[in-house]
Amino acid sequence: MGRLGVGQQRGPLMTTASHMPHGLLFDLDGTLLNSEWYWREAEGGVLAKHGIEYTDELAEAAIGIPLSLWITRMRERFGIAASPETMERELIDLMAEFTDSRPTLWRPGAYELLERSVELGIPTALVTASPQVLADVVLTKAPAGALQTYIAGDMKMAPKPAADPYLAAAQLLGVNPQHCIAFEDSPFGIRSAMAARTHAVLIPFIVKVPEFDGVVTVSSLEDVDDDFLRHVMTLPLPAGDPLDGALE
């Protein structure tokens, strides 16, 4: 069984919140930003330094997983001699350069939803497997008043698919996770949102996500309006991680 974190409860699955959510929690890569292509370029650049060709299969397997896990898998699969710390620094340096110097590729409807959250007075947070240096840059490019805080992948807590990142983000916003909507695009991410018992919303992108009970799917953030937010808050909450927190 997956462990329960702060703010989680077992019992009735219907949320006690009414009307609008008390918080909106957003994954970054693939959900708010179309940054997966930057990640592919950076990951490919790092592997090329070590004589490895980066394929589509490797790129898709990297989406939504913690950076440390990707590095571990690459080192084990290809026998890379460089240390995990060296590979992590190489990758973060490339991504920091891309994020700071290149256009911010907001996914359709993402920037507008953040603006609307400010108008509605709903606090928002970033919940990402990317490191803090990248989250800091994104916060400077978000609409004024949006994304008040973040949880990043290099903070000291269990990563997605554990509940911890979403529980911690809700705590930083001062809201109950069961009164929040979490937006995700990856298997690890959606499981994390479910494990925290938020109202989990999937926006499909590159990687196929299994169909889990209790997840709302919407084709684009452009379709997320006030009525959608209210509707999601009337739906039953997920019971937890459908795979009990086990790594895939």
Side-chain angles (χ1 to χ4, degrees):
M1 293 290 291
R3 61 194 178 100
L4 295 179
V6 176
Q8 288 180 287
Q9 304 173 14
R10 294 295 187 194
L13 299 185
M14 188 66 72
T15 178
T16 58
S18 61
H19 305 302
M20 283 295 188
H22 295 181
L24 299 180
L25 311 175
F26 294 93
D27 171 56
L28 177 59
D29 302 299
T31 301
L32 281 182
L33 297 186
N34 186 1
S35 49
E36 299 295 356
W37 309 110
Y38 289 170
W39 275 108
R40 285 193 180 203
E41 185 177 347
E43 290 158 358
V46 169
L47 290 182
K49 287 184 178 181
H50 304 285
I52 298 161
E53 180 182 358
Y54 201 43
T55 64
D56 288 343
E57 177 259 328
L58 290 176
E60 291 186 8
I63 294 174
I65 69 171
L67 181 58
S68 59
L69 180 58
W70 179 80
I71 291 172
T72 296
R73 288 177 175 176
M74 295 301 99
R75 293 181 75 247
E76 291 177 351
R77 178 167 176 174
F78 297 106
I80 297 173
S83 69
E85 293 77 16
T86 295
M87 291 185 66
E88 180 174 341
R89 177 46 51 197
E90 291 172 343
L91 187 55
I92 291 175
D93 285 349
L94 279 175
M95 276 303 296
E97 176 187 342
F98 294 165
T99 304
D100 187 49
S101 63
R102 295 183 178 184
T104 302
L105 304 177
W106 296 99
R107 290 210 62 199
Y111 195 90
E112 293 78 9
L113 180 55
L114 291 174
E115 288 182 317
R116 183 57 180 155
S117 72
V118 175
E119 295 170 354
L120 294 169
I122 301 175
T124 53
L126 197 61
V127 185
T128 178
S130 293
Q132 296 178 64
V133 64
L134 302 185
D136 284 331
V137 173
V138 172
L139 261 61
T140 67
K141 299 186 177 186
L147 299 179
Q148 291 90 340
T149 189
Y150 64 76
I151 296 296
D154 53 351
M155 293 179 168
K156 300 300 182 183
M157 68 181 68
K160 300 174 185 178
D164 302 47
Y166 277 102
L167 294 176
Q171 186 173 45
L172 287 175
L173 292 181
V175 297
N176 187 326
Q178 296 185 20
H179 298 172
C180 294
I181 299 177
F183 297 90
E184 275 283 357
D185 75 303
S186 72
F188 270 33
I190 207 70
R191 286 173 52 197
S192 177
M194 295 176 74
R197 299 192 71 213
T198 66
H199 291 274
V201 175
L202 172 68
I203 303 95
F205 191 33
I206 297 173
V207 175
K208 181 176 176 58
V209 177
E211 293 184 6
F212 295 130
D213 290 340
V215 173
V216 178
T217 300
V218 62
S219 61
S220 169
L221 290 175
E222 291 178 304
D223 299 325
V224 178
D225 57 13
D226 296 6
D227 288 339
F228 178 89
L229 297 176
R230 292 190 185 95
H231 171 67
V232 170
M233 295 306 295
T234 69
L235 300 177
L237 287 161
D241 181 353
L243 301 183
D244 291 327
L247 289 180
E248 296 172 325

